[in-house]
């Protein structure tokens, strides 16, 4: 957790991650909010920076912060280069929420996370409904229909498959026996058929304003930061913001996310 630098000591990235997890778990417990969301945000670099990637979508050189929030409270973050896939970071966030004993009903994400495996991982590890945007031309996948679910459960009867079990038990059985993507197909079919999907998905819209507020409150960019220290300092800034959130929650402050009183 600690690394020695001459006569000084400072927290390593592992140490900061431990603190972030502890604060995140405390926020989860105090907030008692049942919906989570994930999104990434640019950590802007100087346009002359030789070490940062240029991201054509954001039209700047940058790294990325991938952030999971409970309601509007940020509980976990990972740091990547500026062109890294958002989708590949999701499993780290799922594992972190599981370690923090998160009790959530929904976990929402934009189309950048649209994969069968992501849906299955959210459902299996967090016992939560994945609310992930899908393309406008998405169709119901036949392999995710009940008939095909039953077909594969029955095909593996020697391993304990039971077509008369509850659908949740069948999906869990398939996930644990190498049919993870089929579980995700079933879950995406459920999203497509759900008339309330867009109402749930609109909650994800809280991400960008909150990311903006973090950037207004702490230094949340990589300008004038050495390349080898960027991950550490972005995590430190995130943890500092978490501390402010935790202070409000512990003191039952009614007006949330307004930190002018602290400065």
């Amino acid at each position: 957790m600690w690394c020695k630098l001459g006569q000084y000591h400072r927290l390593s990235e592992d140490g900061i991650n431990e603190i972030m997890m502890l604060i995140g778990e405390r926020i989860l417990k105090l907030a008692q909010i049942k919906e989570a969301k994930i999104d990434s945000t640019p950590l802007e670099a100087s346009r002359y920076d030789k070490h940062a990637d240029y991201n054509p979508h954001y039209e700047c050189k940058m790294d990325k912060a991938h952030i999971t929030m409970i309601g509007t409270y940020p509980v976990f973050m990972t740091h990547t280069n500026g062109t890294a896939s958002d989708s590949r970071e999701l499993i780290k966030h799922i594992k972190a929420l599981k370690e923090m004993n998160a009790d959530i009903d929904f976990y929402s994400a934009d189309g950048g996370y649209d994969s069968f495996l992501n849906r299955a991982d959210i459902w299996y590890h967090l016992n939560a409904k994945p609310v992930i945007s899908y393309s406008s031309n998405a169709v119901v996948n036949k392999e995710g229909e009940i008939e095909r679910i039953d077909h594969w459960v029955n095909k593996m009867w020697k391993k304990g498959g039971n077509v008369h079990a509850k659908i949740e038990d069948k999906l869990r059985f398939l996930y644990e026996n190498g049919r993870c993507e089929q579980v995700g197909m079933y879950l995406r079919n459920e999203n497509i058929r759900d008339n309330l999907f867009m109402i749930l998905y609109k909650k994800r819209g809280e991400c960008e304003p909150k990311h903006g507020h973090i950037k207004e409150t702490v230094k949340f960019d990589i300008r004038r930061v050495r390349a080898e220290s960027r991950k550490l300092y972005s995590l430190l800034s995130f943890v500092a913001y978490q501390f402010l959130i935790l202070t409000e929650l512990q003191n039952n402050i009614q007006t949330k996310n307004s930190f002018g009183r602290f400065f």
Side-chain angles (χ1 to χ4, degrees), residues 1-3 9-24 75-79 100 220 229-243:
M1 184 171 179
W2 295 90
C3 59
H9 293 75
R10 72 173 186 177
L11 284 168
S12 66
E13 289 175 11
D14 287 343
I16 294 298
N17 274 309
E18 273 191 53
I19 294 172
M20 177 172 60
M21 291 285 289
L22 289 170
I23 300 172
V75 294
F76 187 72
M77 174 198 142
T78 54
H79 179 284
M100 287 187 271
F220 212 48
S229 300
R230 287 173 177 176
K231 183 177 180 180
L232 176 68
Y233 282 99
S234 64
L235 289 169
L236 278 168
S237 291
F238 183 79
V239 167
Y241 190 88
Q242 280 186 306
F243 269 121

Side-chain angles (χ1 to χ4, degrees), residues 39-228:
D39 200 6
S40 65
T41 190
L43 301 172
E44 291 190 38
S46 164
R47 60 179 174 170
Y48 304 111
D49 196 308
K50 297 179 181 179
H51 302 285
D53 293 333
Y54 178 81
N55 187 305
H57 175 74
Y58 291 102
E59 299 182 337
C60 68
K61 287 190 172 184
M62 54 179 272
D63 282 0
K64 275 187 184 180
H66 307 260
I67 299 172
T68 287
M69 299 193 302
I70 300 295
T72 59
Y73 302 133
V75 294
F76 187 72
M77 174 198 142
T78 54
H79 179 284
T80 66
N81 64 53
T83 56
S85 165
D86 289 352
S87 183
R88 292 180 183 176
E89 290 298 295
L90 180 61
I91 190 62
K92 299 176 186 176
H93 289 245
I94 291 171
K95 290 178 177 178
L97 288 173
K98 188 174 183 179
E99 188 176 335
M100 287 187 271
N101 301 307
D103 179 17
I104 58 174
D105 294 331
F106 310 102
Y107 196 6
S108 58
D110 65 24
Y113 301 85
D114 182 17
S115 78
F116 298 130
L117 185 57
N118 282 345
R119 286 178 166 81
D121 285 341
I122 289 171
W123 178 85
Y124 182 81
H125 292 291
L126 298 175
N127 194 30
K129 179 184 178 71
V131 183
I132 301 176
S133 180
Y134 49 85
S135 63
S136 58
N137 61 351
V139 296
V140 169
N141 193 296
K142 291 182 179 179
E143 202 64 19
E145 296 287 72
I146 292 293
E147 293 79 7
R148 297 300 294 167
I149 297 290
D150 284 347
H151 168 81
W152 280 97
V153 169
N154 187 57
K155 194 170 183 177
M156 292 187 278
W157 65 270
K158 288 184 179 179
K159 294 183 178 181
N162 178 8
V163 294
H164 302 295
K166 294 179 180 179
I167 183 60
E168 292 82 6
D169 294 332
K170 293 177 190 177
L171 295 176
R172 191 169 293 107
F173 172 80
L174 290 175
Y175 185 98
E176 293 170 353
N177 284 277
R179 302 291 299 175
C180 301
E181 290 205 349
Q182 185 175 22
V183 174
M185 291 172 191
Y186 172 86
L187 294 167
R188 191 167 80 163
N189 287 352
E190 290 290 289
N191 279 169
I192 292 172
R193 291 177 170 133
D194 187 356
N195 293 328
L196 298 178
F197 175 82
M198 288 309 300
I199 295 174
L200 295 173
Y201 181 69
K202 283 179 180 178
K203 286 282 187 180
R204 200 204 66 83
E206 295 171 330
C207 289
E208 290 186 13
K210 176 51 57 182
H211 295 167
H213 192 255
I214 294 173
K215 292 172 183 178
E216 291 171 359
T217 307
V218 296
K219 176 175 169 55
F220 212 48
D221 58 52
I222 56 171
R223 296 186 183 94
R224 298 178 297 280
V225 181
R226 294 176 62 183
E228 59 269 25

